[in-house]
Structure formats: C-alpha cells, structure tokens
Amino acid sequence: MALPALAQAAAPEAPSASAPMSPLTLPADLKWETNNNDPPIGSPEAIRGGTLNEAIGSYPLTFRLMGPNSNDAFAAWNRAFTMSFGLVTRHPVSDNFIPMMATHWSVQKDQRTIYFKLDRDARFSDGKPVTAKDYVFTWQMLRSTHIVDPFYNSYAKQYYESVDRIDDYTLRIVGTRPSWRPLSDYAGLWPTPAHATVLDDTWVKRTTNQPQVAVGPYVVSDVSRGVSVTLQRQPKWWGDGKRYFLGLYNFDRIELRVIPAERDLDYLRRGELDLLQEGTARTWNEDYNFPAVRNGWLRRARVMVDKPSGVYGLHMNLEAPIFRNKDFRKAMQHLFNFERLNSNLMFNEYFRMQSFFEGSEYANRKLEPYGFDPAKARYHLARAGYRRPAEIRGQTWWGRLRNVARGLLFTRSDTDDVLVNEQGEKASFTVIYGSKGLERHLTVTQQEFRRAGVDMRLRLLEPGTAFERGLERKYEMTVTGRTAGFYPGPRQYLHTEAKKSNNNNNIWGFGSAEVDELIRIYEDDLDFDKRLKAMHRIDEIVHDEAFYIPFWSAPYLRVAHWDYLRFPEFYLPRRTEQLTDYLVAWIDPKRKAELVEAMRIGKAYPLDGTIDKDFYKIRQGRSQPP
C-alpha cells in the first residue's frame, strides 16, 4: 500500500554500502530458534470475564504512543497492549527469551542481524493482519521529525540500520553495531498499522485524542474526559490459546477512573475499586483497619518481587540559576534526612537508593548516599556563597550599625534567616510535585532545609501537569519517578543529545563528553568488565554532580483487593514492576456472589496467616530483608 504522506514526511536515509540492491532472501545456512519450554506466565485456573475497576492518577494527556506528553500516567496502560508486544520478550520468571509477535528468530554471527518469523495469526484490533511492512513502517515513523519526539528519533538512529521486509511474514532487522544483547536491543520493535496511519505534519495534533489500533487484547472503547477511560477486550483476540498468553488478560473490561492518589483507599473501601497497589507505608499500616479488612472480605498482600528500581527522588534543574552551583546541590543532598522519614513516616519499611542503576548488575555498590549532615551542608552552602543576611550586612561598619537598629526597632521576620549571597539572592526555590501523599515527607524535608537557612517552597500540581513540567524542564526542583528495564538505559537520561532538547527523560539538562563516551562503551563494547567499569564511572559522576537526590525502594508491591479478585499461587511474576506489567488476576463470579451475601449477613472470613507472599524466596537473597 502506497503511503505518500509518510514518504513526504520522512524520506528514507541513503542506503549503506552494505545494503542489498536486490530482493532480500534468507541465508542458506539459517537456523531458526524458538522457546516453548518455559511455563505459562498466568494461571490455568484463571476465569475469563467481568469488569476490573482500577484507579488512574490523571486523565491521559494523549492517546499517542509517541510525541509530546506520551509518557504520562496512562502510558503504562497504553503501551501494555501496543508497544509492549515486541517481536520477542523475556519470560518474567526465567528471564529466557520467548515468542511474542514472532514465533521464531535467528541471530547471526555478526551480533547485529536478526531474522524473524512473524506469527501469522496476529491481527490488529481492526481485524487486519500484522505483516512485515508494519514493522518497516514503525522504523520509518521513529525516524520522522513529524512525531516531534527527539527520544525516539535518537533511538531509531542509534539502534537500527535497517528494518526490511523479506516477505509478508518474514522480517530482517540490522542493528547499527554488534551487540552483547542483540535480542534486547533490536527485537523489541512493535508493529504500527501502516494501513491505518497517516504521518504528516499534522499527525501530533490530529492524533492526540485518538485511541490506538492495537495488537494486544484491549482497545480504548470509551472515554469521559477528565473522568475515566474504558478498555474493552477483543472477543476473538488472536493471542487466545497461545502458550505464553494463557491465564493473562482475563477481564472483559477495564474501567480506569481518574482518582487522586490520596483518595484511592476511599473508593476501594466503598467497593468502587477492585484492587489497589498501595504506595504509602503509613496508609498500609494505619488505615487498613476498617470492617472489610477485619472481616477478611478485603485481602492484603505484600508481594516480594525482584526488579530494578527506576529513577525516583528529588531532581534539580541544572538550567535553573540556583542549581547551577555544585556546592549548593551537594548542600541539598546533606539536608535530606532519609532516616527521619523512614522511621517517623514509613515504618522503617524502605531502603535508601544509592545508585542511578539501582537493582541492576551495573549498580556501583561502592557508592554511599550523601548522609544527613547539617555541618557539611553549611560548609557547601558557604562555598556556594550563601550566608545569613545579618552576617553579610555585618561585614561593613554601616551594616553592623543597621543590624543594631533593626534589632531595636523591629521584630525579626520569618524570612530573616534565609541565606543570601552577595548579590542579595536568597537560597530559595520551589519544589513541584503531583502526589498529595508525598506532602508529609516533603514538609519534613522542608523543615530540615529551613533550619539550615534554605527556603524550600512546596507546590502541589495536578499529576499530569507536574510530570509535564519535568519533561519540559519548567521547574526548579521536582519529585518524579521512572520505571526501569531489565538493562539500564543511561542514554535517555544522561546523554548530551537529550540535553539539547526538552520533552525527554533528561529532566535535569545534564550532559558531558565523558559520560557520552562511557554510554558508548556500555552500549557497544562486548567486554562485560569494560561495560561494568564504564557504568560504575557514570554512577560516580551522577553522584558527584549531585543533581539527583535518590529516594527509597523496597523489594515488594503492596496489593489490596476484594476476596473475589483472585491471583495465582505465586501472586505476581518475579520481575513485576507494576500491576500493569502482567495481568494475571481474574474475577471469580461465584466468590463474588458469596462475598455479597457474607457482607449482607455480616459473616466474617478467616484471615490470612501472613500478608507477606514470597513465592520466589526473594527475601532470602537480601542481606537486609524488610
């Protein structure tokens, strides 16, 4: 099918010298491989049907998969049924590669050329077959400036030399370099429906509120702006019956209601939500004491999982004048009192993160977080040029006289102790955040900062707005978090190419030639020791530059759910990071009817012996189990 709009939007790059000039054919000695030996991801006991009611923190900024604002609160759901359907994927327990959109694959000796057999059963939600041209189209789209997405433009340039159709169901991908992880680097490409996509200079605006034609089991079927998004399961989804989809995607409908995070529990308590991933230790330990919990109608589980931790904490914008001074940033590090927060507000359930690559094999374990130390903070604040106003005024005879006069005539204001520099600029900045649940933590931090003469002002924004401000670097300090993949991805966060533009994950505006080279070594070098050394050095640099104050993490997810919502024996796959990763739960209609009756007559259920679920023995591998 001719696509003049795309051809006009992004003319293909000139072919490389090695590009074939004749129709592609498969190598004569090609050997296909697959993996149908790992266990299914879901449970054979799962029941299909019902409606899952879940909360979402904010209404989608866009339904697009790429372009401005496509990494918001809805993105995890949006991608779960589109972009998450790569050619192959890792099994979330064994870590082995398993089929997804491709049934077979073949990695060539050059470690950058891979052939794929596509699943001939695969269909888009509009019924059209998924073919090799849909992958070629995705590659062309990723390169186009019309998507207004520097990250994906860079991603396409960095990773893919070519994506080629051999026939409708055979694909060749050639990476830009030999890779030590070729399937991870090059096999995650997803199909974009070429027949249903017109890419031109109006694409971003035209598709902002346009739900995706998806390859996954769900599509957006209904929206109520600012209120809810409904996902409907396709009745005859092509993946039904496939080994690694058994026991997954069990709900007929998923209702996502826009609810502020601090109100989630109220809706769960009233039965308007079926489950909740609880994010705060205080709520988990203090507020789950209502009758439904005491009577065993509402279940709680602290599920141990083994996953890398994403970037999560306080972030300083290096483009903001006050944070251009490294000593000032280091002072902020030494004023963050994690121990007080963990003890007083979080029931000592968390561990302080220390590495930019926390939870991965590339984390530099020699690093130690900046400890809470007001004396060191004062040292760095002085080096940055910040002193008490009275001290600066007292440096001259006129200033000393004025101090005496002020002391006699005026009561000291609450801003007199805020540090200033010689230009009269106060040690004052605003922190923006999008979750009211963090307000107590930030208020405690604000108090610690204020004792040291630093005025930290707090500003709560709507979650989507707060997230957008971070992407656009329209902030001084912000609180935000990112998920993490199996392997770290430092380029999107720390490379100078992302520093040159905004609306990407380099929210600090950081970049250096040294880090660029270290990222290149990590991405390109086939020697693990050299990669490890490079990543450890990146960790050291991020730590020394001090623009990121890491928060906390824990090796578990807290899940609260009504008794009729069932989970497998293992609860969640080992590599689960958030509940949208693997939809293994289901609704048991018989148990739901029984629960309604039990609640009507006040019949209590037996309580679980323990809320901790550690099917994979993860706690045994932790030196400091929670």
Side-chain angles (χ1 to χ4, degrees):
M1 178 178 179
L3 293 165
L6 178 64
Q8 184 179 10
E13 298 176 357
S16 64
S18 60
M21 302 306 294
S22 57
L24 291 174
T25 57
L26 295 176
D29 59 348
L30 187 73
K31 294 182 179 180
W32 293 108
E33 61 178 302
T34 189
N35 175 11
N36 290 305
N37 299 319
D38 280 10
I41 298 168
S43 169
E45 299 176 359
I47 300 171
R48 178 75 56 77
T51 298
L52 175 70
N53 295 281
E54 270 217 58
I56 187 172
S58 60
Y59 188 79
L61 296 172
T62 181
F63 289 96
R64 282 184 279 95
L65 298 173
M66 295 176 279
N69 301 320
S70 60
N71 196 25
D72 66 352
F74 180 68
W77 289 100
N78 203 19
R79 294 170 181 166
F81 313 119
T82 49
M83 299 168 85
S84 293
F85 282 75
L87 290 155
V88 301
T89 191
R90 286 186 183 273
H91 192 284
V93 177
S94 71
D95 291 335
N96 296 325
F97 282 103
I98 57 176
M100 192 169 238
M101 298 300 293
T103 60
H104 296 76
W105 56 92
S106 179
V107 179
Q108 303 306 289
K109 293 180 180 179
D110 63 3
Q111 291 292 101
R112 70 187 189 109
T113 302
I114 314 175
Y115 293 90
F116 299 94
K117 280 186 182 180
L118 302 183
D119 193 322
R120 291 173 179 264
D121 296 331
R123 295 289 185 275
F124 288 107
S125 54
D126 62 2
K128 300 293 184 182
V130 177
T131 67
K133 70 178 181 182
D134 298 307
Y135 291 90
V136 176
F137 187 88
T138 298
W139 176 54
Q140 293 173 327
M141 195 169 182
L142 289 170
R143 295 188 300 162
S144 171
T145 58
H146 287 326
I147 66 173
V148 192
D149 197 320
F151 168 75
Y152 279 119
N153 291 160
S154 173
Y155 169 72
K157 182 179 180 180
Q158 176 72 17
Y159 283 91
Y160 297 104
E161 179 178 297
S162 68
V163 178
D164 305 300
R165 174 189 176 277
I166 294 179
D167 58 42
D168 278 351
Y169 296 103
T170 312
L171 184 72
R172 186 188 77 168
I173 290 180
V174 181
T176 54
R177 64 195 187 283
S179 174
W180 50 273
R181 50 179 190 180
L183 287 175
S184 291
D185 278 349
Y186 307 132
L189 200 66
W190 64 95
T192 300
H195 64 276
T197 307
V198 176
L199 183 63
D200 54 24
D201 58 5
T202 69
W203 179 81
V204 166
K205 183 177 181 180
R206 178 166 40 82
T207 61
T208 290
N209 297 310
Q210 187 178 95
Q212 299 297 304
V213 175
V215 295
Y218 294 96
V219 292
V220 174
S221 61
D222 190 29
V223 298
S224 178
R225 179 166 291 278
V227 178
S228 66
V229 178
T230 301
L231 302 170
Q232 184 73 41
R233 199 184 198 283
Q234 300 180 60
K236 295 182 179 179
W237 181 53
W238 67 269
D240 290 338
K242 303 288 183 180
R243 178 179 182 81
Y244 295 115
F245 295 141
L246 293 174
L248 303 184
Y249 316 121
N250 301 305
F251 310 105
D252 285 341
R253 287 165 59 90
I254 301 174
E255 296 276 358
L256 302 176
R257 296 181 61 177
V258 178
I259 301 171
E262 60 275 9
R263 296 290 313 282
D264 285 352
L265 183 55
D266 294 334
Y267 284 79
L268 180 70
R269 189 199 310 252
R270 295 199 299 261
E272 296 182 43
L273 297 178
D274 297 307
L275 86 163
L276 179 64
Q277 181 174 326
E278 180 55 60
T280 68
R282 183 192 65 82
T283 301
W284 184 253
N285 285 278
E286 293 183 351
D287 294 347
Y288 283 85
N289 55 8
F290 46 93
V293 175
R294 295 197 302 268
N295 290 326
W297 303 330
L298 187 76
R299 304 290 182 181
R300 292 196 301 157
R302 198 167 72 150
V303 186
M304 302 297 154
V305 292
D306 186 10
K307 57 182 176 50
S309 299
V311 176
Y312 175 47
L314 287 165
H315 309 277
M316 302 173 225
N317 186 353
L318 297 174
E319 296 174 359
I322 196 167
F323 291 122
R324 290 174 184 166
N325 186 289
K326 185 192 293 188
D327 276 299
F328 188 81
R329 301 195 300 270
K330 288 191 173 184
M332 302 305 98
Q333 298 277 354
H334 284 299
L335 291 176
F336 182 69
N337 194 343
F338 167 73
E339 288 74 19
R340 180 183 175 192
L341 294 174
N342 199 29
S343 174
N344 294 353
L345 301 182
M346 300 189 294
F347 297 82
N348 286 314
E349 286 196 358
Y350 290 96
F351 302 108
R352 179 78 190 275
M353 293 196 296
Q354 62 189 36
S355 169
F356 198 80
F357 312 117
E358 193 77 21
S360 81
E361 62 183 338
Y362 289 96
N364 187 342
R365 295 303 173 197
K366 294 181 180 179
L367 292 179
E368 293 185 5
Y370 290 86
F372 176 67
D373 193 328
K376 287 184 179 179
R378 287 194 297 272
Y379 167 78
H380 285 291
L381 285 167
R383 282 178 57 92
Y386 286 92
R387 301 178 181 178
R388 299 286 180 183
E391 183 181 347
I392 291 180
R393 290 195 300 268
Q395 291 177 349
T396 66
W397 70 269
W398 172 248
R400 289 192 293 271
L401 180 62
R402 187 172 64 174
N403 286 346
V404 172
R406 285 173 57 87
L408 292 173
L409 297 176
F410 302 104
T411 301
R412 189 175 64 185
S413 74
D414 65 353
T415 60
D416 279 348
D417 283 339
V418 176
L419 306 183
V420 296
N421 60 21
E422 292 183 353
Q423 290 74 42
E425 298 165 334
K426 293 183 177 182
S428 178
F429 56 86
T430 298
V431 179
I432 63 172
Y433 60 105
S435 172
K436 192 170 178 61
L438 282 173
E439 201 161 84
R440 296 183 314 131
H441 306 73
L442 294 174
T443 299
V444 171
T445 302
Q446 182 186 48
Q447 293 168 355
E448 300 284 14
F449 278 48
R450 188 54 192 269
R451 290 190 187 98
V454 177
D455 178 30
M456 171 193 276
R457 299 184 300 273
L458 306 182
R459 186 181 180 191
L460 175 65
L461 299 178
E462 186 273 331
T465 302
F467 193 84
E468 185 178 11
R469 292 284 183 88
L471 292 176
E472 296 178 352
R473 297 191 204 123
K474 294 180 179 178
Y475 73 95
E476 290 179 302
M477 180 181 279
T478 189
V479 181
T480 191
R482 298 290 193 277
T483 58
F486 188 85
Y487 293 115
R491 175 175 291 270
Q492 62 179 311
Y493 295 108
L494 302 171
H495 201 281
T496 52
E497 67 185 14
K499 174 185 177 181
K500 296 173 184 176
S501 60
N502 56 21
N503 210 350
N504 58 54
N505 282 331
N506 189 338
I507 60 176
W508 315 274
F510 172 80
S512 74
E514 181 183 3
V515 170
D516 287 356
E517 174 59 16
L518 293 168
I519 291 173
R520 186 199 65 77
I521 293 171
Y522 165 70
E523 292 176 340
D524 293 354
D525 206 296
L526 301 181
D527 186 318
F528 173 76
D529 290 335
K530 291 180 180 178
R531 297 197 305 271
L532 189 66
K533 183 178 179 181
M535 292 290 272
H536 283 184
R537 176 59 184 149
I538 293 174
D539 237 354
E540 292 172 356
I541 292 171
V542 171
H543 183 268
D544 180 64
E545 290 295 331
F547 50 77
Y548 163 49
I549 303 177
F551 270 2
W552 46 83
S553 67
Y556 52 75
L557 298 179
R558 303 186 196 92
V559 182
H561 62 93
W562 290 96
D563 181 73
Y564 58 78
L565 190 73
R566 309 301 295 162
F567 284 84
E569 176 189 13
F570 52 83
Y571 249 86
L572 297 169
R574 182 170 65 100
R575 294 296 190 187
T576 301
E577 186 166 5
Q578 50 190 344
L579 290 179
T580 50
D581 291 349
Y582 305 99
L583 295 182
V584 295
W586 68 92
I587 292 172
D588 186 326
K590 180 180 178 182
R591 292 183 73 109
K592 190 167 188 176
E594 292 172 348
L595 179 61
V596 170
E597 178 63 14
M599 294 175 70
R600 187 185 69 81
I601 64 176
K603 175 186 175 182
Y605 287 176
L607 300 178
D608 290 338
T610 176
I611 63 173
D612 282 349
K613 313 297 179 183
D614 192 10
F615 184 83
Y616 302 104
K617 311 299 182 186
I618 291 167
R619 297 180 80 176
Q620 294 181 9
R622 299 267 173 170
S623 59
Q624 295 176 296

